[in-house]
Every structure is written in C-alpha cells, then in structure tokens.
Amino acid sequence: MGTFTHTPAPTAADQLAVAKSCALARLNADYETAARPLIRDYPEAERLGWMQQQSEAIAYRSWVVTGSDSEAPDTSALSAILRGRNGSTGGETLEDLSRAVILRADAMIQWQEFTGIRHRGEWAIQDAETPEAAMAVTWESLVV
C-alpha cells in the first residue's frame, strides 16, 4: 500500500513571495528587452570596458579643446582599440574614435532614466502587500 503525504496549501506569505519573485523576473526581462536595441550585439566583455573608454575619450577631447599645450592624457584603451580597428590600412583617428565613444556614452547616460524606472518597479514589487499588487507592477505600467 502507498504512503500518503499531506502537502499543505501555500500560505498567503508563500503566495506573495512567489508573486514578487515572478513580477521581479518579468520586470527585469522587460528592462533587458528594452535595452537590447541600445546595446545591440555588443558582447559583455566589451561593455565592461565602456567606462574606461568614456573616461579616456572625455579626457582626450578636453585636451584637444584646451589647445593641447600640456601632455596628452593616457588613452591606452582607446589606442589599443584604434590599432585593432585600423589594422595596417585604416585611417580612423583617435579624435574620430573619441567622438564615437562619447556619442555611445551619451546614449547610455540617457538610458539610465530607464534604470531608475526599473528600480522604482522593484521597490513597488517589494512593497506589495498582495500577489495581485505585485503582479500589477509591469514595465508597461511604469513607463506610461
């Protein structure tokens, strides 16, 4: 004869925890989907270097604008990228690359508003007192 195992129904707290977890996973997935056009097909390893590229590009552009009387700033990351991009025949300059990096960085800075919206959604999910309230927090409900 088989054994009988009684599984109690999930408590309200259990249901709320599951709803919060599902709502947060959905919110994060929708945030990533919204970000995809901005980051396109850039590999993660490249995205990890964007802050250094931005810092070097800003320092280089400032140096150029101020008349280049002082020693040029370190642009080791940008210079390495430039060597790879140009190969033996390319004509892209450090100025060209710096401008491109700054444009991409500006787009990422504008994106940070959406990062803040995701944070607001996360807080709303955490503060939800019912599963329905947690599930009502969606990317669409936050960006209207």
Side-chain angles (χ1 to χ4, degrees):
M1 184 188 282
T3 60
F4 175 76
T5 304
H6 173 70
T7 304
T11 65
D14 294 336
Q15 292 174 352
L16 180 58
V18 167
K20 286 181 176 184
S21 178
C22 289
L24 183 58
R26 182 184 61 201
L27 178 66
N28 288 340
D30 289 347
Y31 170 83
E32 291 282 340
T33 298
R36 198 165 291 125
L38 180 65
I39 60 175
R40 298 182 307 186
D41 296 324
Y42 294 108
E44 182 179 1
E46 182 174 349
R47 292 191 314 261
L48 292 174
W50 281 358
M51 299 244 339
Q52 181 177 357
Q53 291 177 38
Q54 179 188 19
S55 176
E56 289 184 15
I58 289 170
Y60 180 77
R61 291 288 305 133
S62 294
W63 177 75
V64 167
V65 168
T66 59
S68 310
D69 289 339
S70 61
E71 184 177 334
D74 174 45
T75 58
S76 54
L78 292 181
S79 295
I81 292 168
L82 196 58
R83 283 191 305 275
R85 285 168 70 133
N86 279 335
S88 62
T89 60
E92 185 175 21
T93 67
L94 190 54
E95 178 72 17
D96 297 333
L97 179 57
S98 294
R99 283 191 180 126
V101 166
I102 290 170
L103 284 173
R104 184 184 61 227
D106 288 347
M108 289 302 293
I109 288 168
Q110 290 173 356
W111 175 255
Q112 295 312 305
E113 180 178 353
F114 289 106
T115 299
I117 291 170
R118 194 207 66 79
H119 292 168
R120 182 167 33 99
E122 181 179 359
W123 299 336
I125 291 167
Q126 290 170 350
D127 292 343
E129 295 182 2
T130 66
E132 295 77 20
M135 295 305 291
V137 180
T138 65
W139 184 253
E140 294 79 20
S141 72
L142 296 166
V143 295
V144 291

